[in-house]
Amino acid sequence: MKLLPLITLGCLFSGAAMAYDAGDIIVRAGVATVDPAGDGALNGALDVKSNSQLGLTLTYMLSEDWGVGVLAATPFKHDITLAGKIIGSTKHLPPTVTAQYHFSLGETVHPYLGLGVNYTQFFSEESALGDLALDSSFGLAAELGADFNFNEHWGANIALWYIDIDTDASLDGAKLATVQIDPWVYNLGLSYKF
């Protein structure tokens, strides 16, 4: 039993690596959760809550190791709280583009790292306090993920992003605060390679 972890590790590193080829397209779909981790605003009293939606990613391989990744999703809807009480809500789309480096552990496990930029568009803001508006945001994004291939085409995927999202919030045209959302984004789903 003590040798089991070593045997498992050996299996992962053994065999010919099934690296991706230039021109391959990997499409992934699953559940994506945006979990804001920032300090919020107003000394943490203004906060944005987490939400899960359908997450979609696509990677186009430029070579066996390098690819370009795109993160998309159905619109996320977040409750906005002030001192723990819901004061409004917003929806947003967080398209993200990253340069990815892929490597292989054995024949079926393909981890990757990515670094890029995010653009977040807020819309459908609602608040009982007045006319709430959130500005769009540009920021850096980093990702860590892995594909676990079942066969030549199908596999499972797990991925994690950290995205720098800061937005200026205004109420009835007056600036309320700069909200630091800075979410972790978790994605678990299936992948298909074309």
Side-chain angles (χ1 to χ4, degrees), residues 72-95:
T74 53
F76 293 93
K77 183 177 181 180
H78 299 276
D79 288 333
I80 302 170
T81 64
L82 182 62
K85 296 182 179 180
I86 297 176
I87 62 165
S89 65
T90 186
K91 293 182 179 180
H92 83 273
L93 288 171

Side-chain angles (χ1 to χ4, degrees), residues 109-148:
V109 183
H110 300 281
Y112 56 91
L113 301 170
L115 185 65
V117 294
N118 164 265
Y119 171 74
T120 298
Q121 174 69 53
F122 295 93
F123 59 97
S124 298
E125 299 98 326
E126 296 179 357
S127 176
L129 302 179
D131 184 15
L132 176 67
L134 299 173
D135 289 346
S136 301
S137 168
F138 279 99
L140 294 178
E143 67 177 319
L144 170 65
D147 292 319
F148 302 87

